[in-house]
Amino acid sequence: MDQQQIELVVFDWAGTTVDYGSSAPSAVFDRVFSASGIHLTRAEINAPMGMEKKAHIRQLLSCASGKKQWAEKYGRPWSEADVERLYEEFEATLSQVVEEYSAPLPGVPETVAALREMGLKIGSTTGYNARIMEQVIPKARALGYAADCVVTPDITGKGRPSPFMLYECMRQMNVYPPCRVVKVGDTVVDMEEGKNAGAYAIGVLAGSNLLALTQEEYDAMDPLALNRKKKEAALGYLHAGADLVIDSIRELPEAIAVLNRRMAKGEAL
């Protein structure tokens, strides 16, 4: 492979390659927080999506609504002990349902096969821990999608938006420098992870956390309303530093070809 071309694609999992709309973590966060008397909107729950899950919980407790509701219900600010309790409940609940949400998104197996035909290595990072991924990986593999490496926050000690999980993918896949890597994801922190690592970043719209639609909602939405929602989501990616935004993961091989042409022309990252 030309050393001035992309060599490694690092995918996110939920909302990008499996679990349309990141439905599993969103639903579980809603269930766990509601059980504690804290009722958040889907937009509030989804805003930190892609982060390591304790960090996600801290963000939910720190948002204006979460902080206000917690103080009103418990008469005190939230604490790290509260974070630990909510995290344990989240993990226990998620472990019961996550396998059901681990089927590859439409087009993922075919796209990954095409990328491999192009000579690319396939890495992945996630906000899930290794124990949860033990349930996700076999289901996805059985239905046609597998990555060459899977890096979780408990492996590196730090999750997104830090670059360390992506760096660990690079180490395992023996790819360097970061300009030969593209991060593909469905959240703002996916884009930040890629850019913080010095890599390219591509945001995917269909199935994404940023659109926050189930497949049924996506298919049923008025085309003009859907187009407006996609434009808003695309701006979210671009503001986070995305180099490209694509409508569907099926467009990824051509998007990578675009990046390779940019590199061939000597355009800066």
Side-chain angles (χ1 to χ4, degrees):
M1 174 178 288
D2 186 335
Q3 293 302 299
Q4 297 306 310
Q5 293 193 338
I6 300 297
E7 296 181 32
L8 170 64
V9 179
V10 178
F11 286 106
D12 172 53
W13 282 81
T16 302
T17 52
V18 300
D19 186 9
Y20 200 102
S22 287
S23 298
S26 182
V28 173
F29 276 126
D30 181 51
R31 188 185 309 181
V32 168
F33 273 76
S34 293
S36 289
I38 310 300
H39 303 283
L40 301 170
T41 67
R42 187 194 296 186
E44 288 169 334
I45 289 170
N46 283 355
M49 199 66 76
M51 300 181 75
E52 182 275 329
K53 299 314 174 191
K54 283 185 187 179
H56 192 138
I57 289 168
R58 292 188 191 97
Q59 289 292 312
L60 296 182
L61 292 171
S62 298
C63 76
S65 176
K67 185 185 298 185
K68 180 174 182 291
Q69 289 184 62
W70 189 274
E72 289 175 350
K73 182 163 183 65
Y74 296 101
R76 59 172 177 81
W78 61 269
S79 67
E80 278 300 306
D82 298 316
V83 172
E84 290 294 333
R85 177 182 64 80
L86 290 166
Y87 177 74
E88 289 176 7
E89 292 175 7
F90 174 85
E91 289 292 305
T93 306
L94 183 66
S95 67
Q96 297 171 12
V97 301
V98 71
E99 185 180 354
E100 303 170 22
Y101 292 86
S102 298
L105 270 62
V108 167
E110 300 87 346
T111 297
V112 170
L115 297 176
R116 293 193 193 281
E117 283 292 317
M118 294 166 63
L120 293 164
K121 299 174 181 179
I122 307 297
S124 65
T125 65
T126 178
Y128 289 158
N129 64 28
R131 187 172 63 85
I132 293 296
M133 289 306 296
E134 288 174 358
Q135 299 183 60
V136 175
I137 293 168
K139 178 69 172 289
R141 181 186 294 116
L143 295 175
Y145 169 61
D148 298 326
C149 71
V150 180
V151 179
T152 59
D154 45 325
I155 290 175
T156 60
K158 200 161 181 68
R160 304 167 185 143
S162 81
F164 301 117
M165 290 195 295
L166 195 148
Y167 288 155
E168 177 62 14
C169 279
M170 292 171 57
R171 186 192 70 80
Q172 291 188 28
M173 295 293 96
N174 194 28
V175 173
Y176 183 83
C179 65
R180 296 174 189 161
V181 180
V182 59
K183 175 63 199 289
V184 180
D186 71 301
T187 67
V188 164
V189 292
D190 282 309
M191 302 301 100
E192 293 172 341
E193 177 188 31
K195 301 316 294 180
N196 288 339
Y200 288 100
I202 296 177
V204 185
L205 293 172
S208 69
N209 165 74
L210 278 194
L211 279 188
L213 298 171
T214 66
Q215 189 157 13
E216 292 75 19
E217 290 170 336
Y218 183 97
D219 293 340
M221 184 170 279
D222 172 75
L224 290 178
L226 180 59
N227 189 51
R228 285 194 298 271
K229 197 167 181 64
K230 285 183 177 181
K231 286 182 178 179
E232 292 172 4
L235 285 175
Y237 286 135
L238 294 170
H239 288 160
D243 296 283
L244 293 171
V245 177
I246 57 178
D247 190 71
S248 162
I249 199 147
R250 292 184 175 92
E251 299 172 7
L252 187 55
E254 177 53 32
I256 290 173
V258 169
L259 296 180
N260 285 336
R261 289 194 290 271
R262 289 184 186 178
M263 294 173 74
K265 292 177 183 177
E267 296 180 12
L269 186 63

Short mmCIF file of all heavy atoms in Angstrom, two decimals, residues 172-202:
data_model
loop_
_atom_site.label_atom_id
_atom_site.label_comp_id
_atom_site.label_asym_id
_atom_site.label_seq_id
_atom_site.Cartn_x
_atom_site.Cartn_y
_atom_site.Cartn_z
N GLN A 172 -1.45 -1.71 18.13
CA GLN A 172 -1.75 -3.11 17.84
C GLN A 172 -1.70 -3.42 16.35
O GLN A 172 -1.31 -4.52 15.95
CB GLN A 172 -3.14 -3.48 18.40
CG GLN A 172 -3.20 -3.50 19.92
CD GLN A 172 -4.52 -4.05 20.43
OE1 GLN A 172 -5.17 -4.86 19.77
NE2 GLN A 172 -4.92 -3.60 21.62
N MET A 173 -2.11 -2.47 15.53
CA MET A 173 -2.16 -2.67 14.09
C MET A 173 -0.87 -2.25 13.39
O MET A 173 -0.73 -2.39 12.18
CB MET A 173 -3.34 -1.89 13.49
CG MET A 173 -4.71 -2.36 13.93
SD MET A 173 -5.12 -4.03 13.31
CE MET A 173 -4.67 -5.04 14.72
N ASN A 174 0.09 -1.72 14.17
CA ASN A 174 1.39 -1.30 13.64
C ASN A 174 1.24 -0.29 12.50
O ASN A 174 1.82 -0.43 11.43
CB ASN A 174 2.19 -2.52 13.16
CG ASN A 174 3.65 -2.19 12.91
OD1 ASN A 174 4.21 -1.29 13.53
ND2 ASN A 174 4.27 -2.91 11.99
N VAL A 175 0.45 0.74 12.76
CA VAL A 175 0.22 1.81 11.79
C VAL A 175 0.66 3.13 12.40
O VAL A 175 0.28 3.48 13.52
CB VAL A 175 -1.26 1.89 11.38
CG1 VAL A 175 -1.51 3.11 10.49
CG2 VAL A 175 -1.70 0.62 10.67
N TYR A 176 1.48 3.87 11.65
CA TYR A 176 1.99 5.17 12.10
C TYR A 176 2.47 5.92 10.87
O TYR A 176 2.94 5.29 9.92
CB TYR A 176 3.15 4.96 13.09
CG TYR A 176 3.69 6.25 13.66
CD1 TYR A 176 3.09 6.85 14.75
CD2 TYR A 176 4.79 6.88 13.07
CE1 TYR A 176 3.56 8.04 15.26
CE2 TYR A 176 5.28 8.08 13.57
CZ TYR A 176 4.66 8.65 14.66
OH TYR A 176 5.12 9.84 15.16
N PRO A 177 2.33 7.24 10.82
CA PRO A 177 1.79 8.18 11.80
C PRO A 177 0.26 8.26 11.74
O PRO A 177 -0.37 7.62 10.89
CB PRO A 177 2.43 9.51 11.37
CG PRO A 177 2.59 9.37 9.90
CD PRO A 177 2.94 7.93 9.66
N PRO A 178 -0.34 9.09 12.62
CA PRO A 178 -1.80 9.17 12.68
C PRO A 178 -2.46 9.66 11.40
O PRO A 178 -3.65 9.39 11.21
CB PRO A 178 -2.05 10.16 13.83
CG PRO A 178 -0.82 10.11 14.66
CD PRO A 178 0.31 9.86 13.71
N CYS A 179 -1.74 10.36 10.53
CA CYS A 179 -2.35 10.82 9.28
C CYS A 179 -2.70 9.67 8.36
O CYS A 179 -3.35 9.88 7.34
CB CYS A 179 -1.44 11.82 8.57
SG CYS A 179 0.12 11.14 7.99
N ARG A 180 -2.30 8.44 8.70
CA ARG A 180 -2.68 7.26 7.91
C ARG A 180 -3.88 6.55 8.53
O ARG A 180 -4.21 5.42 8.14
CB ARG A 180 -1.49 6.31 7.82
CG ARG A 180 -0.32 6.92 7.06
CD ARG A 180 0.89 6.04 7.09
NE ARG A 180 2.06 6.74 6.54
CZ ARG A 180 3.31 6.38 6.75
NH1 ARG A 180 3.58 5.33 7.50
NH2 ARG A 180 4.30 7.07 6.22
N VAL A 181 -4.53 7.23 9.47
CA VAL A 181 -5.65 6.64 10.19
C VAL A 181 -6.88 7.53 10.01
O VAL A 181 -6.78 8.76 10.00
CB VAL A 181 -5.33 6.52 11.70
CG1 VAL A 181 -6.49 5.91 12.47
CG2 VAL A 181 -4.04 5.72 11.90
N VAL A 182 -8.05 6.91 9.91
CA VAL A 182 -9.31 7.65 9.91
C VAL A 182 -10.23 7.06 10.97
O VAL A 182 -10.39 5.85 11.07
CB VAL A 182 -9.99 7.65 8.53
CG1 VAL A 182 -10.30 6.25 8.04
CG2 VAL A 182 -11.27 8.49 8.56
N LYS A 183 -10.75 7.94 11.82
CA LYS A 183 -11.74 7.52 12.83
C LYS A 183 -13.12 7.73 12.25
O LYS A 183 -13.44 8.81 11.75
CB LYS A 183 -11.58 8.36 14.11
CG LYS A 183 -12.65 8.06 15.17
CD LYS A 183 -12.56 6.61 15.65
CE LYS A 183 -13.86 6.15 16.32
NZ LYS A 183 -14.09 6.76 17.62
N VAL A 184 -13.98 6.72 12.35
CA VAL A 184 -15.35 6.78 11.84
C VAL A 184 -16.30 6.56 13.00
O VAL A 184 -16.21 5.57 13.72
CB VAL A 184 -15.58 5.70 10.76
CG1 VAL A 184 -17.01 5.76 10.24
CG2 VAL A 184 -14.58 5.87 9.62
N GLY A 185 -17.23 7.53 13.20
CA GLY A 185 -18.13 7.40 14.33
C GLY A 185 -19.42 8.17 14.15
O GLY A 185 -19.65 8.81 13.11
N ASP A 186 -20.24 8.14 15.21
CA ASP A 186 -21.57 8.74 15.13
C ASP A 186 -21.82 9.75 16.25
O ASP A 186 -22.96 10.15 16.46
CB ASP A 186 -22.64 7.64 15.20
CG ASP A 186 -22.74 7.01 16.58
OD1 ASP A 186 -21.72 6.47 17.06
OD2 ASP A 186 -23.82 7.06 17.18
N THR A 187 -20.75 10.16 16.96
CA THR A 187 -20.90 11.13 18.04
C THR A 187 -19.86 12.23 17.92
O THR A 187 -18.84 12.08 17.23
CB THR A 187 -20.73 10.45 19.42
OG1 THR A 187 -19.38 10.02 19.56
CG2 THR A 187 -21.67 9.28 19.59
N VAL A 188 -20.11 13.31 18.64
CA VAL A 188 -19.15 14.41 18.70
C VAL A 188 -17.82 13.93 19.28
O VAL A 188 -16.76 14.28 18.75
CB VAL A 188 -19.74 15.57 19.55
CG1 VAL A 188 -18.66 16.56 19.96
CG2 VAL A 188 -20.84 16.29 18.77
N VAL A 189 -17.87 13.11 20.34
CA VAL A 189 -16.61 12.69 20.95
C VAL A 189 -15.84 11.72 20.06
O VAL A 189 -14.62 11.59 20.19
CB VAL A 189 -16.80 12.10 22.37
CG1 VAL A 189 -17.22 13.18 23.34
CG2 VAL A 189 -17.75 10.93 22.38
N ASP A 190 -16.51 11.03 19.14
CA ASP A 190 -15.78 10.23 18.14
C ASP A 190 -14.91 11.14 17.28
O ASP A 190 -13.74 10.84 17.00
CB ASP A 190 -16.75 9.47 17.23
CG ASP A 190 -17.32 8.23 17.88
OD1 ASP A 190 -16.53 7.41 18.40
OD2 ASP A 190 -18.55 8.07 17.87
N MET A 191 -15.50 12.25 16.84
CA MET A 191 -14.75 13.19 16.01
C MET A 191 -13.59 13.79 16.81
O MET A 191 -12.46 13.91 16.31
CB MET A 191 -15.65 14.32 15.50
CG MET A 191 -16.87 13.86 14.69
SD MET A 191 -16.48 12.89 13.21
CE MET A 191 -16.75 11.21 13.79
N GLU A 192 -13.86 14.13 18.06
CA GLU A 192 -12.81 14.72 18.91
C GLU A 192 -11.70 13.71 19.18
O GLU A 192 -10.52 14.08 19.21
CB GLU A 192 -13.43 15.22 20.21
CG GLU A 192 -14.36 16.40 20.01
CD GLU A 192 -15.13 16.78 21.26
OE1 GLU A 192 -15.23 15.94 22.18
OE2 GLU A 192 -15.63 17.91 21.32
N GLU A 193 -12.06 12.46 19.37
CA GLU A 193 -11.06 11.41 19.57
C GLU A 193 -10.11 11.35 18.37
O GLU A 193 -8.88 11.31 18.53
CB GLU A 193 -11.74 10.06 19.76
CG GLU A 193 -10.79 8.88 19.90
CD GLU A 193 -11.52 7.54 19.91
OE1 GLU A 193 -12.60 7.43 19.26
OE2 GLU A 193 -11.01 6.61 20.55
N GLY A 194 -10.70 11.32 17.17
CA GLY A 194 -9.88 11.26 15.97
C GLY A 194 -8.97 12.47 15.83
O GLY A 194 -7.77 12.33 15.57
N LYS A 195 -9.53 13.66 15.98
CA LYS A 195 -8.73 14.87 15.78
C LYS A 195 -7.69 15.05 16.88
O LYS A 195 -6.58 15.51 16.62
CB LYS A 195 -9.64 16.10 15.70
CG LYS A 195 -10.67 16.06 14.58
CD LYS A 195 -10.12 15.56 13.25
CE LYS A 195 -9.09 16.50 12.64
NZ LYS A 195 -8.59 15.97 11.34
N ASN A 196 -8.03 14.67 18.12
CA ASN A 196 -7.05 14.75 19.20
C ASN A 196 -5.87 13.81 18.98
O ASN A 196 -4.77 14.05 19.49
CB ASN A 196 -7.70 14.45 20.55
CG ASN A 196 -8.60 15.57 21.02
OD1 ASN A 196 -8.47 16.71 20.58
ND2 ASN A 196 -9.52 15.26 21.93
N ALA A 197 -6.12 12.74 18.21
CA ALA A 197 -5.05 11.80 17.89
C ALA A 197 -4.22 12.25 16.69
O ALA A 197 -3.19 11.63 16.40
CB ALA A 197 -5.63 10.42 17.61
N GLY A 198 -4.67 13.28 15.99
CA GLY A 198 -3.98 13.70 14.78
C GLY A 198 -4.38 12.91 13.55
O GLY A 198 -3.67 12.91 12.54
N ALA A 199 -5.53 12.24 13.64
CA ALA A 199 -6.04 11.43 12.54
C ALA A 199 -7.14 12.17 11.79
O ALA A 199 -7.58 13.25 12.21
CB ALA A 199 -6.58 10.10 13.07
N TYR A 200 -7.61 11.58 10.69
CA TYR A 200 -8.80 12.07 10.03
C TYR A 200 -10.03 11.60 10.81
O TYR A 200 -9.97 10.62 11.56
CB TYR A 200 -8.89 11.55 8.59
CG TYR A 200 -7.90 12.17 7.64
CD1 TYR A 200 -6.73 11.51 7.29
CD2 TYR A 200 -8.15 13.43 7.08
CE1 TYR A 200 -5.82 12.08 6.41
CE2 TYR A 200 -7.24 14.01 6.21
CZ TYR A 200 -6.07 13.33 5.86
OH TYR A 200 -5.17 13.90 5.00
N ALA A 201 -11.16 12.29 10.62
CA ALA A 201 -12.40 11.90 11.29
C ALA A 201 -13.56 12.03 10.31
O ALA A 201 -13.68 13.04 9.62
CB ALA A 201 -12.65 12.77 12.52
N ILE A 202 -14.40 11.00 10.28
CA ILE A 202 -15.57 10.98 9.40
C ILE A 202 -16.81 10.67 10.25
O ILE A 202 -16.84 9.68 10.98
CB ILE A 202 -15.43 9.93 8.29
CG1 ILE A 202 -14.26 10.28 7.36
CG2 ILE A 202 -16.72 9.82 7.47
CD1 ILE A 202 -14.00 9.26 6.27
#
